[in-house]
PDB file of all heavy atoms in Angstrom:
ATOM      1  N   PRO A 359     139.292 119.937  84.364  1.00 61.00           N
ATOM      2  CA  PRO A 359     140.142 120.906  83.643  1.00 61.00           C
ATOM      3  C   PRO A 359     140.125 122.270  84.303  1.00 61.00           C
ATOM      4  O   PRO A 359     139.109 122.706  84.833  1.00 61.00           O
ATOM      5  CB  PRO A 359     139.530 120.947  82.241  1.00 61.00           C
ATOM      6  CG  PRO A 359     138.123 120.486  82.434  1.00 61.00           C
ATOM      7  CD  PRO A 359     138.157 119.496  83.553  1.00 61.00           C
ATOM      8  N   VAL A 360     141.296 122.912  84.292  1.00 53.00           N
ATOM      9  CA  VAL A 360     141.440 124.235  84.902  1.00 53.00           C
ATOM     10  C   VAL A 360     140.942 125.293  83.929  1.00 53.00           C
ATOM     11  O   VAL A 360     141.261 125.264  82.735  1.00 53.00           O
ATOM     12  CB  VAL A 360     142.921 124.509  85.261  1.00 53.00           C
ATOM     13  CG1 VAL A 360     143.067 125.881  85.926  1.00 53.00           C
ATOM     14  CG2 VAL A 360     143.427 123.406  86.184  1.00 53.00           C
ATOM     15  N   GLY A 361     140.188 126.250  84.429  1.00 50.00           N
ATOM     16  CA  GLY A 361     139.731 127.361  83.587  1.00 50.00           C
ATOM     17  C   GLY A 361     138.278 127.290  83.237  1.00 50.00           C
ATOM     18  O   GLY A 361     137.757 128.198  82.610  1.00 50.00           O
ATOM     19  N   GLN A 362     137.612 126.147  83.598  1.00 48.00           N
ATOM     20  CA  GLN A 362     136.179 126.085  83.296  1.00 48.00           C
ATOM     21  C   GLN A 362     135.455 127.060  84.203  1.00 48.00           C
ATOM     22  O   GLN A 362     135.780 127.223  85.382  1.00 48.00           O
ATOM     23  CB  GLN A 362     135.672 124.664  83.530  1.00 48.00           C
ATOM     24  CG  GLN A 362     135.979 123.725  82.380  1.00 48.00           C
ATOM     25  CD  GLN A 362     135.245 122.402  82.544  1.00 48.00           C
ATOM     26  OE1 GLN A 362     134.701 122.138  83.578  1.00 48.00           O
ATOM     27  NE2 GLN A 362     135.229 121.627  81.484  1.00 48.00           N
ATOM     28  N   GLY A 363     134.406 127.597  83.726  1.00 43.00           N
ATOM     29  CA  GLY A 363     133.614 128.541  84.501  1.00 43.00           C
ATOM     30  C   GLY A 363     134.089 129.971  84.364  1.00 43.00           C
ATOM     31  O   GLY A 363     133.522 130.865  84.951  1.00 43.00           O
ATOM     32  N   GLN A 364     135.228 130.258  83.604  1.00 44.00           N
ATOM     33  CA  GLN A 364     135.691 131.616  83.413  1.00 44.00           C
ATOM     34  C   GLN A 364     134.875 132.289  82.318  1.00 44.00           C
ATOM     35  O   GLN A 364     134.501 131.667  81.327  1.00 44.00           O
ATOM     36  CB  GLN A 364     137.176 131.628  83.025  1.00 44.00           C
ATOM     37  CG  GLN A 364     138.083 131.005  84.073  1.00 44.00           C
ATOM     38  CD  GLN A 364     138.111 131.823  85.334  1.00 44.00           C
ATOM     39  OE1 GLN A 364     137.879 133.044  85.271  1.00 44.00           O
ATOM     40  NE2 GLN A 364     138.363 131.193  86.466  1.00 44.00           N
ATOM     41  N   PRO A 365     134.620 133.505  82.446  1.00 42.00           N
ATOM     42  CA  PRO A 365     133.853 134.212  81.416  1.00 42.00           C
ATOM     43  C   PRO A 365     134.655 134.354  80.135  1.00 42.00           C
ATOM     44  O   PRO A 365     135.883 134.471  80.143  1.00 42.00           O
ATOM     45  CB  PRO A 365     133.577 135.586  82.046  1.00 42.00           C
ATOM     46  CG  PRO A 365     134.646 135.761  83.077  1.00 42.00           C
ATOM     47  CD  PRO A 365     134.978 134.405  83.572  1.00 42.00           C
ATOM     48  N   ALA A 366     133.993 134.303  79.006  1.00 41.00           N
ATOM     49  CA  ALA A 366     134.641 134.416  77.686  1.00 41.00           C
ATOM     50  C   ALA A 366     135.220 135.816  77.515  1.00 41.00           C
ATOM     51  O   ALA A 366     134.665 136.810  77.969  1.00 41.00           O
ATOM     52  CB  ALA A 366     133.647 134.104  76.569  1.00 41.00           C
ATOM     53  N   GLN A 367     136.380 135.875  76.824  1.00 42.00           N
ATOM     54  CA  GLN A 367     137.055 137.148  76.608  1.00 42.00           C
ATOM     55  C   GLN A 367     137.294 137.350  75.119  1.00 42.00           C
ATOM     56  O   GLN A 367     137.470 136.401  74.367  1.00 42.00           O
ATOM     57  CB  GLN A 367     138.415 137.188  77.342  1.00 42.00           C
ATOM     58  CG  GLN A 367     138.283 137.151  78.861  1.00 42.00           C
ATOM     59  CD  GLN A 367     139.629 137.266  79.539  1.00 42.00           C
ATOM     60  OE1 GLN A 367     140.664 137.312  78.864  1.00 42.00           O
ATOM     61  NE2 GLN A 367     139.591 137.337  80.859  1.00 42.00           N
ATOM     62  N   VAL A 368     137.337 138.589  74.704  1.00 39.00           N
ATOM     63  CA  VAL A 368     137.585 138.952  73.307  1.00 39.00           C
ATOM     64  C   VAL A 368     138.827 139.846  73.283  1.00 39.00           C
ATOM     65  O   VAL A 368     138.922 140.814  74.040  1.00 39.00           O
ATOM     66  CB  VAL A 368     136.374 139.694  72.692  1.00 39.00           C
ATOM     67  CG1 VAL A 368     136.655 140.094  71.254  1.00 39.00           C
ATOM     68  CG2 VAL A 368     135.145 138.824  72.798  1.00 39.00           C
ATOM     69  N   GLY A 369     139.782 139.519  72.382  1.00 40.00           N
ATOM     70  CA  GLY A 369     140.995 140.320  72.254  1.00 40.00           C
ATOM     71  C   GLY A 369     141.962 140.128  73.389  1.00 40.00           C
ATOM     72  O   GLY A 369     142.904 140.888  73.515  1.00 40.00           O
ATOM     73  N   GLY A 370     141.756 139.156  74.248  1.00 40.00           N
ATOM     74  CA  GLY A 370     142.689 138.844  75.324  1.00 40.00           C
ATOM     75  C   GLY A 370     142.520 139.732  76.532  1.00 40.00           C
ATOM     76  O   GLY A 370     142.911 139.383  77.616  1.00 40.00           O
ATOM     77  N   SER A 371     141.965 140.986  76.403  1.00 39.00           N
ATOM     78  CA  SER A 371     141.864 141.878  77.563  1.00 39.00           C
ATOM     79  C   SER A 371     140.470 142.416  77.770  1.00 39.00           C
ATOM     80  O   SER A 371     140.116 142.797  78.868  1.00 39.00           O
ATOM     81  CB  SER A 371     142.856 143.044  77.421  1.00 39.00           C
ATOM     82  OG  SER A 371     142.574 143.778  76.252  1.00 39.00           O
ATOM     83  N   GLN A 372     139.695 142.516  76.710  1.00 40.00           N
ATOM     84  CA  GLN A 372     138.356 143.087  76.809  1.00 40.00           C
ATOM     85  C   GLN A 372     137.345 141.964  76.940  1.00 40.00           C
ATOM     86  O   GLN A 372     137.425 140.962  76.239  1.00 40.00           O
ATOM     87  CB  GLN A 372     138.048 143.918  75.560  1.00 40.00           C
ATOM     88  CG  GLN A 372     138.968 145.131  75.413  1.00 40.00           C
ATOM     89  CD  GLN A 372     138.625 145.926  74.181  1.00 40.00           C
ATOM     90  OE1 GLN A 372     137.785 145.525  73.373  1.00 40.00           O
ATOM     91  NE2 GLN A 372     139.279 147.077  74.025  1.00 40.00           N
ATOM     92  N   GLN A 373     136.414 142.126  77.892  1.00 41.00           N
ATOM     93  CA  GLN A 373     135.351 141.141  78.106  1.00 41.00           C
ATOM     94  C   GLN A 373     134.229 141.392  77.121  1.00 41.00           C
ATOM     95  O   GLN A 373     134.038 142.486  76.616  1.00 41.00           O
ATOM     96  CB  GLN A 373     134.818 141.239  79.539  1.00 41.00           C
ATOM     97  CG  GLN A 373     135.853 140.832  80.587  1.00 41.00           C
ATOM     98  CD  GLN A 373     135.232 140.835  81.957  1.00 41.00           C
ATOM     99  OE1 GLN A 373     134.117 141.293  82.105  1.00 41.00           O
ATOM    100  NE2 GLN A 373     135.968 140.332  82.928  1.00 41.00           N
ATOM    101  N   VAL A 374     133.491 140.294  76.900  1.00 37.00           N
ATOM    102  CA  VAL A 374     132.316 140.385  76.046  1.00 37.00           C
ATOM    103  C   VAL A 374     131.262 141.213  76.759  1.00 37.00           C
ATOM    104  O   VAL A 374     131.222 141.291  77.989  1.00 37.00           O
ATOM    105  CB  VAL A 374     131.812 138.973  75.708  1.00 37.00           C
ATOM    106  CG1 VAL A 374     130.660 139.026  74.728  1.00 37.00           C
ATOM    107  CG2 VAL A 374     132.942 138.152  75.123  1.00 37.00           C
ATOM    108  N   ALA A 375     130.425 141.799  76.015  1.00 39.00           N
ATOM    109  CA  ALA A 375     129.380 142.631  76.597  1.00 39.00           C
ATOM    110  C   ALA A 375     128.540 141.829  77.566  1.00 39.00           C
ATOM    111  O   ALA A 375     128.418 140.615  77.486  1.00 39.00           O
ATOM    112  CB  ALA A 375     128.498 143.205  75.471  1.00 39.00           C
ATOM    113  N   ALA A 376     127.921 142.556  78.524  1.00 39.00           N
ATOM    114  CA  ALA A 376     127.149 141.889  79.579  1.00 39.00           C
ATOM    115  C   ALA A 376     125.997 141.088  79.020  1.00 39.00           C
ATOM    116  O   ALA A 376     125.612 140.067  79.556  1.00 39.00           O
ATOM    117  CB  ALA A 376     126.629 142.946  80.563  1.00 39.00           C
ATOM    118  N   GLY A 377     125.438 141.524  77.923  1.00 43.00           N
ATOM    119  CA  GLY A 377     124.295 140.792  77.373  1.00 43.00           C
ATOM    120  C   GLY A 377     124.691 139.476  76.784  1.00 43.00           C
ATOM    121  O   GLY A 377     123.878 138.585  76.646  1.00 43.00           O
ATOM    122  N   SER A 378     126.028 139.326  76.290  1.00 45.00           N
ATOM    123  CA  SER A 378     126.429 138.088  75.647  1.00 45.00           C
ATOM    124  C   SER A 378     127.338 137.233  76.514  1.00 45.00           C
ATOM    125  O   SER A 378     127.864 136.240  76.047  1.00 45.00           O
ATOM    126  CB  SER A 378     127.156 138.418  74.335  1.00 45.00           C
ATOM    127  OG  SER A 378     128.321 139.188  74.615  1.00 45.00           O
ATOM    128  N   ALA A 379     127.628 137.622  77.805  1.00 50.00           N
ATOM    129  CA  ALA A 379     128.508 136.843  78.674  1.00 50.00           C
ATOM    130  C   ALA A 379     127.792 135.584  79.166  1.00 50.00           C
ATOM    131  O   ALA A 379     126.571 135.561  79.326  1.00 50.00           O
ATOM    132  CB  ALA A 379     128.953 137.693  79.865  1.00 50.00           C
TER     133      ALA A 379
END
Side-chain angles (χ1 to χ4, degrees):
V360 181
Q362 280 190 349
Q364 300 293 334
Q367 294 183 357
V368 179
S371 60
Q372 296 180 354
Q373 294 185 351
V374 185
S378 61

